[in-house]
Amino acid sequence: MSLAEELLEHARFLANLDPRTTSQANIRRAISAAYYAVFHLLAAEVAEQVSPDSPAGLRERTQRALEHTQMGKVAKAFSQEGATRVKDLPDDIVLPNPVSRELASIGNRFKELQDARHAADYDVSKYFYPTDALTQVQEAEEVFKDWKIEETSSNATVFLASLMFGRSWNK
């Protein structure tokens, strides 16, 4: 089982501990784990695309080089279903196909999960309900499902490369 799958399982576990719980620690950790499940799913896909598996440790270093803020910007840029141009892509990088429903959903959900994680981890004035955790876990599960459909598409390679290199392309 991959780290991403383990994190999703852990998020499910925390979200379902007790549907009547008011434990902010469990609810907030479930929300955070749901985001990190998706982050690590995509980070592993990026690393597999751009790094060989030898020498040992290279893929892991590639994953570690990804930045949350950049990934959020790219996700948002790919969140428009049917788009043929994506913000901040250089003119010479053209999407092979319009953005699919699945890829747009991944982009939207990634950004929503990221925002929810920020609130859960840092906004101590916000109160979270058990349903908030369950909703975020369901959102993460949908990303996993959509990625299974999208991962072999022509646009997936552009999306993954953008997650890693997008900020550097316009230098």
Side-chain angles (χ1 to χ4, degrees):
M1 182 180 295
S2 71
L3 176 59
E5 292 165 329
E6 285 182 33
L7 285 165
L8 184 57
E9 187 176 295
H10 186 63
R12 274 191 214 109
F13 170 77
L14 289 171
N16 289 297
L17 272 176
D18 180 354
R20 298 161 301 178
T21 189
T22 57
S23 168
Q24 289 297 287
N26 287 340
I27 294 168
R28 287 169 180 268
R29 294 308 304 149
I31 292 168
S32 188
Y35 164 72
Y36 277 109
V38 171
F39 173 84
H40 284 286
L41 169 71
L42 296 176
E45 294 289 330
V46 168
E48 186 175 333
Q49 177 174 298
V50 302
S51 297
D53 58 0
S54 178
L58 186 58
R59 276 199 183 152
E60 292 78 7
R61 289 285 179 184
T62 300
Q63 283 181 250
R64 183 69 184 109
L66 289 161
E67 296 178 356
H68 295 272
T69 302
Q70 175 62 25
M71 290 178 73
K73 287 178 184 175
V74 169
K76 186 175 179 183
F78 277 83
S79 67
Q80 297 300 315
E81 181 178 353
T84 56
R85 292 290 310 148
V86 173
K87 183 180 182 215
D88 295 331
L89 270 185
D91 291 338
D92 62 328
I93 298 178
V94 179
L95 290 178
N97 299 298
V99 173
S100 68
R101 183 200 64 77
E102 291 82 11
L103 187 54
S105 175
I106 291 165
N108 276 313
R109 286 189 166 111
F110 181 90
K111 190 63 182 126
E112 289 169 7
L113 284 159
Q114 189 179 65
D115 291 344
R117 197 269 309 173
H118 283 170
D121 285 354
Y122 303 116
D123 188 352
V124 295
S125 69
K126 185 170 170 91
Y127 184 84
F128 292 93
Y129 296 92
T131 53
D132 296 324
L134 292 169
T135 297
Q136 295 308 312
V137 169
Q138 290 168 350
E139 293 292 307
E141 290 170 338
E142 290 301 315
V143 171
F144 275 69
K145 288 177 191 172
D146 286 340
W147 185 250
K148 281 290 180 205
I149 295 167
E150 188 67 30
E151 68 184 335
T152 58
S153 77
S154 302
N155 285 348
T157 56
V158 178
F159 174 68
L160 293 174
S162 296
L163 292 173
M164 183 75 185
F165 303 113
R167 189 173 68 180
S168 303
W169 279 342
N170 292 319
K171 287 185 173 182

